Amino acid sequence: MNRLTASVSAAAVAAGASLALLAPAAIGAAAANTVLKVLPTDLGPGKPWLRLQDPPNNIPTPPGTQEVSPFADPVRFNGSLHLAIGGGQQSQAGHAFPQLVPLSTIAAAKLSYDTYVKSASSATGTGPNLQLPMICQGVFTTLSFRPENNTDAQGRPGVVEDTWQHFTSSTSSPWRTSQAVATFPALSDHPLSDYAAACNAPGDGVGGVIANVGRLGDVNATLDTYVDNLTVNGTVYDFAIGGLATGRVTLRNTGPGDNCDHRGCRTAGGDIDSAAGTITFTSPSDGPEYHAVGTRLVIANGRSLSRSDFKVTANGLPVTLAVGPNHTLIGVVTPNPSVDLDPNGTYTTPITITHRDRPGRVGPKDSLTVTAELLAEGYGPLRRTGVKAHATLSR
């Protein structure tokens, strides 16, 4: 432990910060923009991300839940950081930078994160904090961005339960200091620019980033939250589980459609064919947990397709088709009631496709490509997850 670490560790512990490593040298340039995955194996003693109880000199605050969870985030849908507390507990995960970074550098880059607060929590109107542990004029403090005091990317003030929210620090966003530093009293709120102007002594700087759910005023209160995509100093920290969901489209030609008879399927309006099968998405045992799932269908063959030539059903109900880019047809399947796709689970949709092959639109030797993409709840319902599957119908 270097001298600076020893001198600030007691203050860091008193402030509830679990970062025990604050290096003495500051750097002047922000890191290159990158997305860095944080896997379950990256969280724990001696790992890149420390939990509340991992530093050996931390105060004996009862820790709550601090884990990389399969709960799908709203951007990459590959998991998130789960922070939850019971009565008198505190939960946090923190990452130490290799060197102190000037607060002015941190403030000049994007600062943002995603949060989700479950309504099952007994505490209301509060959420997980994005924190910057730092040295200011030689004194340790933690600056906290508190969602209850800010407005999300959709213009909603404060915490909205049971939905993902994206928060970005603006030039006027209030940040709370845990300790009295420079001219700022403890627990006062100020923009980062104010702190950056005052915290510019030699040796000042930010030592890392923390996601925190602090102890609440009510010793019996509970708070169940998720955090992801912490963006600090040019790096996006993407909490992710190891497994990946997969999809499969199985279709078989079933013969003439409704307008064909025993004499064949050629009619005055063209050939009519039909196909039936299933769309199946599977999340492995170590895969993501998706909420309120659906399916996006894309039908293509490289030529212009007409909605009037197609009839699609899913789960026995008609699917409305819209004209999409590149001469495609697009439909969305929404299960009712809503369905979740959990780890080690499957989501299956039976479908039928009946299509008329008109000259100049779909030739007798052309094939149709059917693409299915898993949709799930993200910043809103039925967001595209990037999990796709394809099938080709040839004639």
Side-chain angles (χ1 to χ4, degrees), residues 2 19 41 65 76 82 139 153 155 163 189 196 198 256 260 360 390 395:
N2 59 50
L19 290 182
T41 53
T65 299
R76 297 171 184 84
H82 186 196
V139 177
T163 188
D189 297 317
C260 296
H390 311 272
R395 296 177 300 282

Side-chain angles (χ1 to χ4, degrees), residues 232-311:
V232 181
N233 197 34
T235 298
V236 179
Y237 297 99
D238 170 30
F239 291 87
I241 40 76
L244 297 175
T246 58
R248 183 179 182 183
V249 179
T250 303
L251 287 172
R252 65 187 185 282
N253 290 309
T254 55
D258 294 339
N259 293 333
C260 296
D261 56 27
H262 64 280
R263 293 172 294 181
C265 61
R266 180 168 292 281
T267 69
D271 294 348
I272 294 182
D273 293 319
S274 61
T278 58
I279 301 170
T280 301
F281 293 102
T282 301
S283 186
S285 58
D286 61 344
E289 174 186 340
Y290 301 93
H291 290 265
V293 296
T295 305
R296 182 177 186 263
L297 289 173
V298 179
I299 302 173
N301 85 317
R303 302 189 187 188
S304 180
L305 301 179
S306 172
R307 291 179 294 172
S308 62
D309 291 337
F310 283 81
K311 176 183 177 182

